[in-house]
Amino acid sequence: MISRYTRPEMGQIWSEENKYRQWLEVELAASEALAESGEVPTGAAKALRRYADFDVTRIQEIEAEVKHDVIAFTTAVAEKMTEANAADDSRWLHFGLTSNDVVDTAQALQLKAASALIQPALEKLRDVLDKRAHEFSDAVMVGRTHGVHAEPTTFGLKLANWYAEINRHVTRFKDAAEQIRVGKISGAVGTFAHISPQAEERICEKLGLEAAPISSQVIQRDRHAHYLCTLGLIAATLEKIALEVRHLQRTEVREAQEYFSKSQKGSSAMPHKKNPITCEQICGLARVVRSNASTAFENIALWHERDISHSSVERVILPDSTILIDYLLAKTTNLVEKLLVYPERMRSNLESGGGLVYSGQVLLELAAKGILREQAYLWVQRNAMRAWEEDGNFREMIESDSDICKVLSKKDIDHAFELKRQVRHVDYIFKRVFGERD
């Protein structure tokens, strides 16, 4: 478990103590449901609820001897029942259950609890992106394709794009969390040989879970793969945000940067350094989450009704992925909330090409005036390449090009190089993304 990235609430979910506590809750819910149908004595179910307990150290001692975790657990609980003078009632513990009835159902409870922490964290990031997108809706900057200046855009649109993506993740995650919120008490091969489907449904209802419509000895692992793929998608978007900030923070760009406190140090050797360390950390850890999603695919295919090749893997990838996503969401939310943005520098970079970003509009103006596109492209490109090579002013070159000036008037050229024209639909795009706002 990646404990250094764990907030206390998330860490507690995946602690050994809580794992066994959830096992016990499944056992008790089963005893109570079976007591309701007369299959377990009511007094025994009440005694189990009152006295059943365990000691993690004792479970580990027994497991070291018997080499079976669930047997170690039930033995340790039975010992506690004996200490409480309720040894006879302990025989109704784990009655009709197989190990994975307990383990898989309890794991669903842990995932449900982890999801309850991740969901609001995801929504908080969405809300922060909403706020900052509106803050910088009109902050014009150069849009880049292939890392090269393309056409004007606004920083608000960049943030709005991230908002829309996170909003899709909110929906995806709700679905994935719901699909993983299932238990199974169907026995060794899923046939309900010892407990009825109706009993399973009552047990799961008591636990706040849905009963899997069908299972083998295990809940089918496509559900877990779907859940982890959703976490992987979220991680990919968080990396996308961090990677963009890393570029914008480059010395040659300096349009935005992650917050750097007064007492913070960037380098042991170079006092001037302000490195995007939070962004780099987000990018690195996102890779771990995505790799875990890939591993989850390998857990889907098991031998016949069950083997245990998946279980050892899940002891790593489920805690680590939920812990890391929880951590990365907090980090990214803080990154966006405190992000330092420099609109003046954005405007300066936009203008640095001497109007090169308007080449496409000049091309369209010529075509609209009757010039064949291929010819217009050659005229515009020759001036653009010259501006690149000579570090010159593209607009001045266009204004002095005799071929172009025969077709376009000064007013036409002014219109082609009009910044507001390029970003005139920003408000409309915002309405499509965020809806109407008062």
Side-chain angles (χ1 to χ4, degrees):
M1 189 184 300
I2 307 177
S3 56
R4 66 172 292 191
Y5 303 114
T6 314
R7 61 166 159 158
E9 303 95 315
M10 183 65 82
Q12 193 275 332
I13 291 169
W14 297 109
S15 68
E16 285 291 284
E17 170 73 29
N18 188 59
K19 179 183 78 172
Y20 293 127
R21 192 61 57 191
Q22 299 311 308
W23 287 14
L24 183 58
E25 194 55 40
V26 174
E27 296 278 10
L28 296 176
S31 297
E32 290 167 348
L34 293 174
E36 291 170 5
S37 61
E39 297 170 73
V40 165
T42 301
K46 290 181 178 179
L48 285 167
R49 174 62 70 178
R50 182 175 182 182
Y51 299 117
D53 204 356
F54 59 84
D55 179 84
V56 173
T57 302
R58 180 57 182 149
I59 293 173
Q60 293 169 342
E61 290 173 353
I62 299 169
E63 185 178 0
E65 180 182 347
V66 303
K67 311 301 182 188
H68 194 290
D69 54 355
V70 177
I71 291 175
F73 166 75
T74 57
T75 301
V77 174
E79 288 178 352
K80 289 291 186 181
M81 294 292 289
T82 299
E83 292 172 9
N85 296 317
D88 189 57
D89 294 314
S90 68
R91 65 194 173 95
W92 298 103
L93 179 76
H94 203 67
F95 186 77
L97 306 185
T98 192
S99 296
N100 255 59
D101 287 336
V102 177
V103 173
D104 264 15
T105 304
Q107 184 170 266
L109 292 174
Q110 290 176 285
L111 287 168
K112 177 185 174 185
S115 298
L117 295 178
I118 294 169
Q119 187 73 42
L122 195 56
E123 292 171 359
K124 182 178 180 182
L125 174 57
R126 179 189 61 185
D127 293 344
V128 169
L129 286 167
D130 181 334
K131 179 181 180 219
R132 301 230 74 184
H134 283 85
E135 181 182 352
F136 295 105
S137 62
D138 298 325
V140 292
M141 65 184 299
V142 66
R144 299 172 173 91
T145 58
H146 306 276
V148 179
H149 284 201
E151 292 185 339
T153 184
T154 77
F155 190 59
L157 282 177
K158 196 181 295 287
L159 289 157
N161 218 342
W162 297 341
Y163 165 91
E165 195 162 330
I166 291 296
N167 201 35
R168 292 193 293 274
H169 288 319
V170 168
T171 301
R172 290 185 187 112
F173 185 72
K174 283 180 180 177
D175 180 57
E178 183 62 19
Q179 289 200 35
I180 206 72
R181 191 182 60 84
V182 297
K184 61 85 60 184
I185 312 288
S186 59
V189 294
T191 58
F192 298 97
H194 308 293
I195 286 181
S196 70
Q198 293 77 17
E200 178 193 58
E201 291 165 5
R202 289 197 301 274
I203 294 166
C204 288
E205 184 180 3
K206 286 177 177 291
L207 297 168
L209 302 175
E210 294 292 324
I214 186 171
S215 60
S216 57
Q217 192 183 111
V218 296
I219 294 170
Q220 302 307 286
R221 260 43 196 180
D222 64 288
R223 294 178 182 271
H224 302 73
H226 176 213
Y227 186 85
L228 285 168
C229 280
T230 303
L231 297 186
L233 279 169
I234 294 169
T237 298
L238 303 186
E239 180 176 4
K240 173 182 179 176
I241 293 170
L243 187 64
E244 181 70 16
V245 174
R246 285 170 64 188
H247 170 75
L248 297 179
Q249 188 165 333
R250 290 172 58 206
T251 305
E252 296 83 357
V253 181
R254 288 186 295 159
E255 294 179 358
Q257 71 171 64
E258 65 180 59
Y259 177 75
F260 195 89
S261 70
K262 289 183 179 180
S263 60
Q264 191 171 338
K265 304 291 189 293
S267 166
S268 62
M270 297 168 283
H272 72 278
K273 295 281 278 179
K274 289 186 176 183
N275 299 328
I277 55 171
T278 297
C279 292
E280 291 170 345
Q281 187 179 45
I282 291 168
C283 291
L285 292 175
R287 298 168 192 167
V288 177
V289 180
R290 291 199 300 275
S291 68
N292 286 349
S294 176
T295 305
F297 280 112
E298 305 304 316
N299 288 342
I300 294 174
L302 304 176
W303 280 33
H304 307 298
E305 275 59 58
R306 182 231 177 173
D307 62 49
I308 63 168
S309 59
H310 67 289
S311 61
S312 56
V313 178
E314 289 175 354
R315 294 184 191 199
V316 176
I317 65 174
L318 294 179
D320 282 4
S321 295
T322 51
I323 286 168
L324 282 177
I325 279 295
D326 186 57
Y327 177 80
L328 290 172
L329 283 168
K331 278 287 186 181
T332 308
T333 299
N334 187 64
L335 169 69
V336 174
E337 197 165 32
K338 294 184 176 180
L339 188 68
L340 302 176
V341 182
Y342 305 115
E344 297 83 4
R345 180 70 178 185
M346 290 176 175
R347 187 66 175 256
S348 175
N349 286 341
L350 173 64
E351 296 171 352
S352 65
L356 275 170
V357 293
Y358 301 101
S359 70
Q361 191 62 56
V362 176
L363 171 65
L364 293 177
E365 298 293 338
L366 289 167
K369 294 289 187 178
I371 305 300
L372 291 177
R373 182 181 176 83
E374 291 75 13
Q375 183 62 66
Y377 196 101
L378 289 173
W379 289 354
V380 176
Q381 187 184 42
R382 73 188 179 199
N383 288 284
M385 294 303 101
R386 184 180 160 206
W388 272 107
E389 293 160 7
E390 299 176 9
D391 198 22
N393 188 290
F394 176 68
R395 176 166 181 165
E396 292 177 359
M397 292 176 181
I398 290 293
E399 290 173 335
S400 63
D401 187 296
S402 59
D403 290 324
I404 293 175
C405 288
K406 288 177 184 176
V407 179
L408 299 182
S409 67
K410 184 179 183 306
K411 183 178 179 181
D412 292 332
I413 294 174
D414 287 344
H415 192 44
F417 283 84
E418 187 179 344
L419 175 58
K420 287 184 179 180
R421 182 183 180 190
Q422 297 292 313
V423 293
R424 65 191 183 279
H425 297 303
V426 169
D427 289 345
Y428 188 82
I429 297 171
F430 264 63
K431 288 177 183 177
R432 294 207 309 192
V433 173
F434 299 101
E436 296 285 348
R437 296 286 176 91
D438 293 333

